[in-house]
Amino acid sequence: MATLDLSNKRILVTGGAGFLGRQVVEQLRLAGADLEKITIPRSRDHDLRSLEACQRAVEHQDVVIHLAAHVGGIGLNLVKPAELFYDNLMMGAQLIHAAYQAGVQKFTCVGTICAYPKFTPVPFQEDDLWNGYPEETNAPYGVAKKALLVQLQSYRQQYGFNGIYLLPVNLYGPEDNFDPKSSHVIPALIRKVHEAQIRGDKHLPVWGDGSPTREFLYSTDAALGIVMGTQDYDGTEPVNLGTGYEISIKELVELICELMGYEGEIVWETDKPNGQPRRCLDTERACREFGFTAKVDFKQGLKNTIEWYRQHAE
């Protein structure tokens, strides 16, 4: 299979101005894409929940990388499940349909690890994706994104449309979303520790009991995997993007406190939800199909993220 030459391709990157999107655009540039030919639709100009907006966005494009999502941590999932389901389903389904109609050559859809069943054997293998219902707080978002995999597979079967589906694990890195109302666990913890230090708090309250495990992928690694998949993968099956390194929330909190020099006591709020019990990916397929393995060491990635946040905390 020939590597897709990006040098002369017109590429649409939805969500391209976001945390992951900026890294994807940079990896596209490093892979030879012409920045002049990369289009980033902004939500104020293109509401991708509308089919007409999707049709305008994909016009004359050769490649579409769909990163745009309405997404957040457990807090947002609990208060806005309907919005998360509707927005993500509508954006994805209509963009895929419009891209097919417009004759787009390649469609890369970035799904979510929340699509996996609540109790999936660890490490998660792509073939287990349909063996149960997602963890309840994630389900509206996870099911909406998982429906796009079915759409891509059926459009390939009926129309020969070349769409691929990638499943990155939880991302982190500089420029992440640190808003306490919608942030994921690493930026939320970094901000929480930073503010506790400023106030001189002796106690650090953290949701749950610390027992769940998670895996985290540095944003530049995720972007590299997405671009490598876009260039070199044309399969129907979903592909995990991760590191295969599993860490408990308890160890994570202790590590962040250590790297940030916080000396206070961690208080576990066991009346708050834990989320999915374990999360760690089998990353063999990405390595086998398009040669992707993550490069950034977790501790180093955390240091980079903490340093960036401290410089931009204001």
Side-chain angles (χ1 to χ4, degrees):
M1 180 188 64
T3 294
L4 181 66
D5 177 8
L6 299 174
S7 61
N8 59 354
K9 297 285 186 257
R10 289 160 303 191
I11 305 170
L12 180 79
V13 184
T14 72
F19 163 53
L20 175 59
R22 286 192 290 269
Q23 302 291 347
V24 168
V25 169
E26 173 59 13
Q27 291 298 327
L28 285 167
R29 184 187 70 79
L30 293 171
D34 179 351
L35 287 178
E36 299 284 307
K37 293 184 174 173
I38 295 176
T39 303
I40 299 168
R42 302 307 294 264
S43 53
R44 59 175 178 268
D45 307 315
H46 294 81
D47 182 346
L48 297 177
R49 294 170 301 181
S50 138
L51 181 59
E52 286 169 5
C54 291
Q55 288 167 331
R56 281 200 316 276
V58 300
E59 212 176 347
H60 308 308
Q61 300 293 337
D62 301 307
V63 176
V64 174
I65 299 177
H66 180 43
L67 307 173
H70 185 176
V71 62
I74 288 183
L76 188 72
N77 287 327
L78 289 172
V79 295
K80 296 195 169 175
E83 284 179 41
L84 290 171
F85 180 81
Y86 180 84
D87 291 356
N88 288 294
L89 183 65
M90 288 298 118
M91 280 195 288
Q94 301 194 107
L95 195 69
I96 290 167
H97 187 69
Y100 150 68
Q101 287 181 316
V104 166
Q105 268 179 274
K106 181 74 175 268
F107 192 106
T108 298
C109 185
V110 176
T112 172
I113 216 64
C114 303
Y116 272 102
K118 181 174 183 175
F119 299 106
T120 306
V122 178
F124 293 9
Q125 292 185 324
E126 293 93 343
D127 296 343
D128 290 327
L129 197 56
W130 294 100
N131 294 344
Y133 195 70
E135 197 274 321
E136 293 76 10
T137 55
N138 294 321
Y141 174 63
V143 171
K145 292 293 254 183
K146 191 152 65 163
L148 306 179
L149 168 61
V150 180
Q151 185 179 5
L152 287 170
Q153 289 173 331
S154 53
Y155 276 49
R156 181 186 291 274
Q157 185 184 337
Q158 186 173 342
Y159 306 133
F161 182 62
N162 187 8
I164 66 165
Y165 191 88
L166 305 176
L167 285 157
V169 78
N170 298 47
L171 304 181
Y172 74 105
E175 302 184 357
D176 203 342
N177 168 26
F178 289 86
D179 178 345
K181 289 194 289 292
S182 57
S183 57
H184 284 103
V185 60
I186 286 180
L189 287 170
I190 290 172
R191 177 171 179 149
K192 189 173 261 202
V193 172
H194 178 78
E195 291 178 350
Q197 285 175 308
I198 288 172
R199 290 191 301 264
D201 295 353
K202 297 285 182 279
H203 297 95
L204 186 77
V206 182
W207 276 28
D209 62 12
S211 66
T213 65
R214 291 293 179 264
E215 172 184 345
F216 299 97
L217 183 62
Y218 196 62
S219 53
T220 53
D221 276 337
L224 177 63
I226 289 164
V227 172
M228 288 174 75
T230 301
Q231 287 185 287
D232 288 315
Y233 182 61
D234 292 316
T236 59
E237 296 306 316
V239 182
N240 287 335
L241 296 178
T243 60
Y245 170 69
E246 187 178 13
I247 185 171
S248 73
I249 297 298
K250 181 176 184 294
E251 292 170 302
L252 174 66
V253 174
E254 287 167 356
L255 180 57
I256 288 173
C257 288
E258 177 197 321
L259 292 174
M260 295 182 73
Y262 177 72
E263 309 267 311
E265 185 194 345
I266 298 161
V267 180
W268 295 101
E269 298 186 304
T270 52
D271 58 327
K272 298 284 199 297
N274 266 331
Q276 195 160 19
R278 285 181 73 187
R279 224 181 247 177
C280 183
L281 299 186
D282 182 316
T283 57
E284 174 55 36
R285 186 176 285 173
C287 184
R288 185 178 69 243
E289 294 288 347
F290 48 93
F292 171 72
T293 48
K295 295 178 169 54
V296 179
D297 168 74
F298 184 57
K299 199 166 179 178
Q300 186 55 53
L302 273 183
K303 283 181 184 169
N304 298 350
T305 309
I306 290 164
E307 191 178 323
W308 184 89
Y309 178 69
R310 283 188 159 149
Q311 287 170 355
H312 297 84
E314 299 74 49

